[in-house]
């Protein structure tokens, strides 16, 4: 593979050599500094073959599942995500920040310079500890706030504690979700229906209500919807209904929030390799072939969504509100 850095590095060597000889001009010195500050050219990635393809090994875990027990382990950007100060000084709360898509957002936000609070279920402490360590390794403040989002009181105290312990709240990522497959509406218990709505849509309502009065102009709310909002799976009836509700909620709230200076957007992922899928979210057969139905023929890895969550939180996205961003391996849905 050709060395894409060859031009930059040879130029840097030349400039350094000139400086060492004491022959450098003021203009030359500033060019030298610019060359040294330039980031290395990122390698080109072949999207079709960048990550594991199905078949995946058969596996299932009791809900809510742990990313640390999945085979292969999902890639949340632990070793690959590079920040560039796009969220420097921001304070972010991410629900479901222990694993999957929320973990990828947490790692990216910290490496972009944000302090991050993560919310998760107490049973997910092993995953959460890894994320807390990664946020701290990025030199940022990390706050762990376990609890159950089906409980309205927890939603309120979660936002208040994040605000207090981070010293502000600029970004709310309402990402936690519940997904249980059932072949028929006749198999969906009233309890399941209620829990799916509580986790996926009621919590978004409660968290937004608690956070908005605390958020400054320039703040951002980001919800995680799904391709199921637009092309609902027949085995995910209750889940798909909540995801459709999230899309409508975000589009309406975005209009309301324009004059408060808060942007509101959603992300609509296709099939991503996460604990939600292997802990009752999909049939075992669907896990085995997970992502095969997409034109790319593979599942997404959580790290592949990190740039979308960063963009929607960053100030450069000042004209982006009320939008739904898809990432679905070529299906074009979302
Ligand atoms: P995940 O299991 O890694 O994350 C979901 C998180 O939700 C859990 O880690 C848990 O902390 C949290 N959660 C669930 N119920 C909760 C409760 N009652 N109280 C507190 N927290 C609770 O899986 P993921 O796929 O990263 O899910 C993140 C979001 O992405 C969800 O909203 C999901 O619907 C959405 N999504 C996922 C996919 C996919 O293919 N993985 C596709 C589209 C949308
Ligand atoms: Mg989890």
């Amino acid at each position: 593979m050709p060395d894409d850095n060859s031009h930059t590095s040879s130029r840097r060597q030349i400039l350094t050599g000139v400086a060492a000889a004491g022959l450098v001009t003021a203009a030359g010195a500033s060019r030298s500094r610019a060359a040294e500050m330039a980031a290395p050219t990122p390698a080109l990635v072949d999207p079709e073959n960048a990550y594991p393809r199905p078949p995946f090994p058969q596996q299932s875990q009791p809900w809510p599942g742990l990313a640390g027990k999945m085979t292969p382990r999902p890639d949340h950007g632990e070793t690959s995500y590079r920040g560039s100060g796009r969220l420097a000084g921001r304070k972010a709360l991410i629900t479901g920040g222990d694993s999957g898509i929320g973990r990828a957002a947490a790692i990216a936000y910290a490496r972009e310079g944000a302090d991050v609070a993560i919310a998760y279920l107490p049973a997910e402490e092993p995953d959460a500890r890894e994320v807390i360590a990664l946020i701290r390794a990025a030199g940022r403040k990390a706050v762990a706030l376990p609890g159950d989002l089906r409980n309205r009181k927890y939603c309120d105290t979660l936002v208040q504690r994040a605000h207090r312990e981070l010293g502000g709240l600029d970004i709310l990522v309402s990402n936690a979700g519940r997904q249980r497959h059932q072949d028929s509406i006749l198999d969906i218990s009233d309890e399941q229906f209620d829990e799916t709505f509580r986790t996926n849509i009621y919590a978004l309502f409660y968290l937004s209500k608690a956070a908005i009065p605390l958020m400054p102009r320039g703040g951002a709310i980001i919800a995680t919807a799904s391709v199921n909002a637009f092309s609902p799976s027949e085995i995910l009836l209750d889940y798909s209904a909540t995801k459709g509700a999230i899309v409508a909620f975000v589009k309406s709230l975005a209009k309301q929030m324009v004059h408060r200076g808060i942007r509101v957007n959603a992300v609509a992922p296709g099939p991503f390799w996460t604990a939600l899928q292997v802990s009752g979210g999909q049939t075992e057969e669907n896990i085995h072939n997970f992502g095969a139905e997409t034109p790319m023929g593979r599942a997404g890895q959580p790290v592949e969504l990190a740039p979308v969550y960063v963009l929607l939180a960053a100030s450069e996205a000042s004209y982006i509100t009320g939008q739904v961003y898809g990432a679905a391996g070529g299906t074009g849905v979302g």
Side-chain angles (χ1 to χ4, degrees):
M1 198 198 241
D3 177 7
D4 291 325
N5 294 325
S6 54
H7 174 74
T8 318
S9 35
S10 60
R11 179 173 169 74
R12 187 180 304 135
Q13 277 156 10
I14 291 163
L15 288 165
T16 311
V18 172
L23 299 171
V24 76
T25 62
S30 82
R31 268 201 303 278
S32 169
R33 272 193 299 278
E36 274 165 21
M37 284 169 66
T41 311
L44 270 175
V45 169
D46 167 5
E48 192 180 7
N49 297 304
Y51 292 100
R53 308 178 69 80
F56 290 104
Q58 293 290 3
Q59 58 200 289
S60 84
Q61 297 185 38
W63 178 79
L66 291 174
K69 290 191 171 166
M70 291 176 67
T71 311
R73 277 194 68 146
D75 185 343
H76 309 91
E78 287 89 341
T79 60
S80 59
Y81 191 89
R82 304 262 174 281
S84 53
R86 295 179 68 189
L87 301 176
R90 299 284 180 272
K91 319 280 186 193
L93 167 61
I94 303 174
T95 66
D98 58 300
S99 58
I101 295 163
R103 180 197 284 225
I107 293 170
Y109 281 14
R111 293 187 187 168
E112 295 290 355
D115 294 328
V116 183
I118 59 165
Y120 52 94
L121 287 159
E124 298 172 304
E125 196 62 42
D127 274 354
R129 282 199 188 155
E130 290 181 6
V131 180
I132 294 294
L134 287 161
I135 296 168
R136 291 188 181 141
R140 306 311 310 178
K141 185 167 191 182
V143 180
L145 298 169
D148 192 329
L149 289 164
R150 289 169 293 188
N151 177 334
R152 195 223 191 289
K153 206 165 160 38
Y154 167 70
C155 294
D156 282 344
T157 54
L158 170 62
V159 170
Q160 284 151 14
R161 282 191 61 193
H163 179 260
R164 191 172 64 240
E165 294 187 30
L166 293 172
L169 186 63
D170 306 307
I171 303 160
L172 167 65
V173 179
S174 177
N175 162 77
R178 188 77 206 265
Q179 174 185 320
R180 262 177 292 186
H181 69 85
Q182 302 288 2
D183 283 343
S184 162
I185 186 172
L186 304 179
D187 298 327
I188 301 176
S189 66
D190 293 357
E191 184 200 31
Q192 169 171 335
F193 191 80
D194 187 58
E195 289 188 345
T196 307
F197 271 75
R198 285 200 169 281
T199 311
N200 298 6
I201 185 75
Y202 279 49
L204 172 61
F205 172 65
Y206 297 143
L207 296 171
S208 301
K209 248 176 114 170
I212 286 162
L214 304 174
M215 292 178 83
R217 295 185 73 82
I221 297 174
I222 302 161
T224 304
S226 168
V227 292
N228 283 286
F230 308 102
S231 178
S233 159
E234 66 182 297
I235 61 167
L236 298 174
L237 188 150
D238 53 336
Y239 174 84
S240 300
T242 65
K243 295 299 176 178
I246 290 171
V247 168
F249 181 98
V250 158
K251 286 176 177 283
S252 175
L253 186 62
K255 290 174 185 156
Q256 276 186 24
M257 287 299 112
V258 165
H259 297 303
R260 287 184 90 115
I262 297 171
R263 295 178 301 100
V264 187
N265 292 288
V267 180
F272 277 76
W273 185 241
T274 69
L276 171 125
Q277 304 293 359
V278 301
S279 62
Q282 290 292 347
T283 62
E284 292 209 3
E285 191 194 334
N286 285 354
I287 291 297
H288 194 55
N289 299 315
F290 198 61
E293 74 284 6
T294 66
M296 236 180 244
R298 69 167 177 89
Q301 292 294 323
V303 65
E304 297 183 274
L305 277 174
V308 180
Y309 286 85
V310 170
L311 169 71
L312 295 178
S315 297
E316 294 96 314
S318 45
Y319 202 56
I320 302 175
T321 193
Q323 300 293 148
V324 181
Y325 275 69
T331 61
V333 176

